[in-house]
Amino acid sequence: MTTTIEISESVRHYYGQVLQSSDDLKTSACCSIDAMPSYLKALLTGLHPEVLERFYGCGSPLPPALEGMTVLDLGCGTGRDCYLLSKLVGPTGRVIGVDMTPEQLEVAVRHRDWHAERFGYANIEFLHGHIENLATVGIADDYMDAGGRAMQGAIADNSIDVVVSNCVINLSPEKPRVLAEIFRVLKPGGELYFSDVFADRRIPVELRQDPVLLGECLGGALYWEDFRRILQDLGSPDVRKVKQNPISIDDSEVFAKIGMVKFDSVTVRAFKMPLEDRCEDFGQVAVYLGSIDQHPHSFDLDDHHHFETGRPLRVCGNTADMLAGSRYGDHFQVLGDKSRHFGLFDCSPRPGSESAKADSACC
């Protein structure tokens, strides 16, 4: 298996035919570390049972403040997160799900009307195709028009407010193309928020092509530093870790193949906006207003920026821009500008602080 087409077909086969439910996974690597909050668990009870049963992710890497937004879910599978997002964006928002596996999309599309009837509105579109080329994806439930041509659902430049993904980008054989497409379709100030598996080293070629390791989200895991460099080349030099946990490989056959690599499940946040490649100090302060639904007392931007409602927090210039220049701007008061520079900003977690529970530093 040496070509990107062969790798894609291997992944499609694993998720379309080998796996019949999440119980068939050999490891927990494909599961997000984000424990599902209670308000999302309550929404799960309103989803169709087959959508839940055939969905292979777990956890919930969905950011807050989504009402009225246009959200793109890459690798949507049976559409579980799309249907959750449908409730979060509300009737004025829009949700687009993209997946390359027909067997998964068939489940998602078949239950779309069922959910629309219960929600009281329809705001979801499912597209069939590869996340490496979002300009050529097709409408999932009507591949051909009357003339036998594929129905296109191309996603335009600067059209998406938020891109989410639940342990899918690692499955792509062309990750730089996927990430370039994400930043093409994001609006200025838009957010990429996803959970995925990252490795502590570059994985040997033969293991990157192993069908089981690929399907279990291990063979295709990116080395974090390579991921950071790709985003820097795309104009996003400050990517933030929101949460990070080590992955335990308990299957003996899988461990025998790749047990020398340490894997982490990481939830990542990045913005489409001009930022500096280091955290710089301009004497700025940010205050969270407590106005985001389900977050009345605090908001975590990442693993080392914990904002208590009403309490001023010194922030670097990049953090100030992330808060003021994104959809979070309505929920924060950012004080100060960049007219005076004080050098580098120490953006590492403070000992004993809320943010010190994570093991990564800033930028």
Side-chain angles (χ1 to χ4, degrees), residues 66 74 100 127 134 144 157 172 180 208 217 222 228 250 265 268 281 312 337 353 357-358:
L66 294 176
L74 298 181
M100 70 173 182
L127 304 178
L134 297 173
M144 299 294 175
D157 297 359
S172 170
R208 294 204 306 267
C217 303
L222 261 176
R228 181 186 59 78
D250 299 322
S265 182
V268 176
D281 189 352
D337 55 29
S353 69
K357 295 178 182 177

mmCIF file of all heavy atoms in Angstrom, residues 66 74 100 127 134 144 157 172 180 208 217 222 228 250 265 268 281 312 337 353 357-358:
data_model
loop_
_atom_site.group_PDB
_atom_site.id
_atom_site.type_symbol
_atom_site.label_atom_id
_atom_site.label_comp_id
_atom_site.label_asym_id
_atom_site.label_seq_id
_atom_site.Cartn_x
_atom_site.Cartn_y
_atom_site.Cartn_z
ATOM 1 N N LEU A 66 -21.960 28.816 19.547
ATOM 2 C CA LEU A 66 -22.180 28.429 18.158
ATOM 3 C C LEU A 66 -23.509 28.912 17.578
ATOM 4 O O LEU A 66 -23.769 28.695 16.388
ATOM 5 C CB LEU A 66 -22.111 26.903 18.029
ATOM 6 C CG LEU A 66 -20.747 26.261 18.299
ATOM 7 C CD1 LEU A 66 -20.856 24.751 18.238
ATOM 8 C CD2 LEU A 66 -19.699 26.767 17.316
ATOM 9 N N LEU A 74 -15.755 17.663 9.639
ATOM 10 C CA LEU A 74 -14.967 16.834 8.737
ATOM 11 C C LEU A 74 -14.927 15.399 9.235
ATOM 12 O O LEU A 74 -14.559 15.133 10.373
ATOM 13 C CB LEU A 74 -13.538 17.381 8.633
ATOM 14 C CG LEU A 74 -13.399 18.796 8.073
ATOM 15 C CD1 LEU A 74 -11.931 19.193 8.013
ATOM 16 C CD2 LEU A 74 -14.037 18.911 6.700
ATOM 17 N N MET A 100 -16.194 10.391 3.450
ATOM 18 C CA MET A 100 -15.910 9.658 2.223
ATOM 19 C C MET A 100 -16.496 8.253 2.238
ATOM 20 O O MET A 100 -16.365 7.515 1.258
ATOM 21 C CB MET A 100 -14.391 9.560 2.023
ATOM 22 C CG MET A 100 -13.678 8.655 3.002
ATOM 23 S SD MET A 100 -11.936 8.456 2.541
ATOM 24 C CE MET A 100 -11.397 7.314 3.824
ATOM 25 N N LEU A 127 -22.365 15.925 2.681
ATOM 26 C CA LEU A 127 -21.635 15.907 1.420
ATOM 27 C C LEU A 127 -20.703 14.710 1.381
ATOM 28 O O LEU A 127 -20.041 14.385 2.371
ATOM 29 C CB LEU A 127 -20.825 17.196 1.248
ATOM 30 C CG LEU A 127 -21.616 18.510 1.325
ATOM 31 C CD1 LEU A 127 -20.667 19.697 1.194
ATOM 32 C CD2 LEU A 127 -22.683 18.570 0.252
ATOM 33 N N LEU A 134 -12.257 20.048 -0.567
ATOM 34 C CA LEU A 134 -13.628 20.418 -0.229
ATOM 35 C C LEU A 134 -14.322 21.165 -1.359
ATOM 36 O O LEU A 134 -15.515 21.451 -1.273
ATOM 37 C CB LEU A 134 -13.627 21.266 1.044
ATOM 38 C CG LEU A 134 -13.099 20.554 2.291
ATOM 39 C CD1 LEU A 134 -12.986 21.543 3.456
ATOM 40 C CD2 LEU A 134 -13.983 19.385 2.675
ATOM 41 N N MET A 144 -26.149 12.206 -8.557
ATOM 42 C CA MET A 144 -26.236 12.523 -9.975
ATOM 43 C C MET A 144 -27.453 13.389 -10.275
ATOM 44 O O MET A 144 -28.517 13.204 -9.689
ATOM 45 C CB MET A 144 -26.322 11.228 -10.799
ATOM 46 C CG MET A 144 -25.124 10.311 -10.644
ATOM 47 S SD MET A 144 -23.606 11.040 -11.321
ATOM 48 C CE MET A 144 -22.407 9.779 -10.828
ATOM 49 N N ASP A 157 -14.584 29.546 -0.512
ATOM 50 C CA ASP A 157 -13.602 30.265 0.301
ATOM 51 C C ASP A 157 -14.321 31.138 1.331
ATOM 52 O O ASP A 157 -15.378 31.727 1.049
ATOM 53 C CB ASP A 157 -12.739 31.176 -0.564
ATOM 54 C CG ASP A 157 -11.897 30.419 -1.584
ATOM 55 O OD1 ASP A 157 -11.972 29.177 -1.612
ATOM 56 O OD2 ASP A 157 -11.177 31.084 -2.358
ATOM 57 N N SER A 172 -6.198 10.853 7.146
ATOM 58 C CA SER A 172 -5.910 11.327 5.796
ATOM 59 C C SER A 172 -4.451 11.076 5.423
ATOM 60 O O SER A 172 -3.551 11.340 6.216
ATOM 61 C CB SER A 172 -6.202 12.825 5.682
ATOM 62 O OG SER A 172 -5.704 13.332 4.456
ATOM 63 N N ALA A 180 -4.790 22.861 4.693
ATOM 64 C CA ALA A 180 -4.866 24.000 3.774
ATOM 65 C C ALA A 180 -6.312 24.253 3.361
ATOM 66 O O ALA A 180 -6.750 25.412 3.258
ATOM 67 C CB ALA A 180 -4.002 23.746 2.549
ATOM 68 N N ARG A 208 2.822 3.378 8.920
ATOM 69 C CA ARG A 208 1.827 4.336 8.425
ATOM 70 C C ARG A 208 0.911 3.699 7.390
ATOM 71 O O ARG A 208 -0.158 4.236 7.102
ATOM 72 C CB ARG A 208 2.517 5.557 7.817
ATOM 73 C CG ARG A 208 3.297 6.402 8.808
ATOM 74 C CD ARG A 208 3.453 7.828 8.332
ATOM 75 N NE ARG A 208 4.028 7.947 7.002
ATOM 76 C CZ ARG A 208 5.330 8.104 6.767
ATOM 77 N NH1 ARG A 208 6.189 8.126 7.778
ATOM 78 N NH2 ARG A 208 5.770 8.230 5.523
ATOM 79 N N CYS A 217 -6.446 4.810 14.197
ATOM 80 C CA CYS A 217 -6.016 6.205 14.401
ATOM 81 C C CYS A 217 -4.600 6.318 14.954
ATOM 82 O O CYS A 217 -4.242 7.350 15.543
ATOM 83 C CB CYS A 217 -6.991 6.960 15.318
ATOM 84 S SG CYS A 217 -8.694 6.977 14.719
ATOM 85 N N LEU A 222 -0.003 12.314 13.455
ATOM 86 C CA LEU A 222 1.036 13.300 13.155
ATOM 87 C C LEU A 222 1.975 13.505 14.340
ATOM 88 O O LEU A 222 1.553 13.489 15.495
ATOM 89 C CB LEU A 222 0.393 14.644 12.825
ATOM 90 C CG LEU A 222 0.215 15.045 11.360
ATOM 91 C CD1 LEU A 222 -0.525 16.376 11.275
ATOM 92 C CD2 LEU A 222 1.558 15.159 10.654
ATOM 93 N N ARG A 228 2.632 21.484 13.927
ATOM 94 C CA ARG A 228 2.831 22.899 14.231
ATOM 95 C C ARG A 228 3.477 23.627 13.052
ATOM 96 O O ARG A 228 3.106 24.763 12.719
ATOM 97 C CB ARG A 228 3.712 23.022 15.484
ATOM 98 C CG ARG A 228 3.985 24.439 15.930
ATOM 99 C CD ARG A 228 4.982 24.462 17.088
ATOM 100 N NE ARG A 228 6.244 23.849 16.731
ATOM 101 C CZ ARG A 228 7.181 24.437 15.999
ATOM 102 N NH1 ARG A 228 6.990 25.650 15.508
ATOM 103 N NH2 ARG A 228 8.321 23.807 15.735
ATOM 104 N N ASP A 250 -3.741 -1.118 24.798
ATOM 105 C CA ASP A 250 -3.955 -2.332 25.585
ATOM 106 C C ASP A 250 -4.043 -3.595 24.733
ATOM 107 O O ASP A 250 -3.972 -4.702 25.269
ATOM 108 C CB ASP A 250 -5.238 -2.191 26.423
ATOM 109 C CG ASP A 250 -5.151 -1.024 27.401
ATOM 110 O OD1 ASP A 250 -4.055 -0.822 27.960
ATOM 111 O OD2 ASP A 250 -6.157 -0.318 27.584
ATOM 112 N N SER A 265 -3.901 11.959 22.964
ATOM 113 C CA SER A 265 -5.120 12.519 22.405
ATOM 114 C C SER A 265 -5.158 13.986 22.792
ATOM 115 O O SER A 265 -5.080 14.325 23.971
ATOM 116 C CB SER A 265 -6.343 11.789 22.962
ATOM 117 O OG SER A 265 -7.527 12.303 22.392
ATOM 118 N N VAL A 268 -7.407 20.581 20.019
ATOM 119 C CA VAL A 268 -6.636 21.692 19.462
ATOM 120 C C VAL A 268 -7.570 22.831 19.070
ATOM 121 O O VAL A 268 -8.680 22.607 18.584
ATOM 122 C CB VAL A 268 -5.842 21.222 18.222
ATOM 123 C CG1 VAL A 268 -5.106 22.380 17.579
ATOM 124 C CG2 VAL A 268 -4.871 20.113 18.605
ATOM 125 N N ASP A 281 4.271 40.797 24.781
ATOM 126 C CA ASP A 281 3.613 41.526 25.867
ATOM 127 C C ASP A 281 3.349 42.975 25.452
ATOM 128 O O ASP A 281 4.272 43.729 25.157
ATOM 129 C CB ASP A 281 4.512 41.485 27.114
ATOM 130 C CG ASP A 281 3.825 42.020 28.358
ATOM 131 O OD1 ASP A 281 2.712 42.570 28.247
ATOM 132 O OD2 ASP A 281 4.404 41.870 29.453
ATOM 133 N N PRO A 312 -10.070 40.198 35.847
ATOM 134 C CA PRO A 312 -9.116 40.572 34.795
ATOM 135 C C PRO A 312 -7.925 39.613 34.770
ATOM 136 O O PRO A 312 -7.438 39.174 35.822
ATOM 137 C CB PRO A 312 -8.679 41.982 35.194
ATOM 138 C CG PRO A 312 -9.759 42.485 36.106
ATOM 139 C CD PRO A 312 -10.249 41.275 36.832
ATOM 140 N N ASP A 337 -4.085 48.255 23.870
ATOM 141 C CA ASP A 337 -3.807 48.039 22.455
ATOM 142 C C ASP A 337 -2.337 47.640 22.308
ATOM 143 O O ASP A 337 -1.698 47.242 23.274
ATOM 144 C CB ASP A 337 -4.135 49.296 21.644
ATOM 145 C CG ASP A 337 -3.408 50.537 22.174
ATOM 146 O OD1 ASP A 337 -2.294 50.381 22.749
ATOM 147 O OD2 ASP A 337 -3.939 51.647 22.012
ATOM 148 N N SER A 353 -1.840 26.605 39.421
ATOM 149 C CA SER A 353 -2.986 27.258 38.792
ATOM 150 C C SER A 353 -3.858 26.234 38.104
ATOM 151 O O SER A 353 -3.489 25.080 37.912
ATOM 152 C CB SER A 353 -2.519 28.286 37.764
ATOM 153 O OG SER A 353 -1.928 27.631 36.653
ATOM 154 N N LYS A 357 -2.623 22.102 35.287
ATOM 155 C CA LYS A 357 -3.028 20.703 35.236
ATOM 156 C C LYS A 357 -2.689 20.081 33.898
ATOM 157 O O LYS A 357 -2.611 18.881 33.770
ATOM 158 C CB LYS A 357 -4.535 20.595 35.496
ATOM 159 C CG LYS A 357 -4.936 21.034 36.887
ATOM 160 C CD LYS A 357 -6.434 20.969 37.089
ATOM 161 C CE LYS A 357 -6.838 21.457 38.461
ATOM 162 N NZ LYS A 357 -8.304 21.460 38.659
ATOM 163 N N ALA A 358 -2.499 20.891 32.869
ATOM 164 C CA ALA A 358 -2.090 20.389 31.564
ATOM 165 C C ALA A 358 -0.578 20.478 31.475
ATOM 166 O O ALA A 358 0.059 21.228 32.200
ATOM 167 C CB ALA A 358 -2.741 21.190 30.448
#
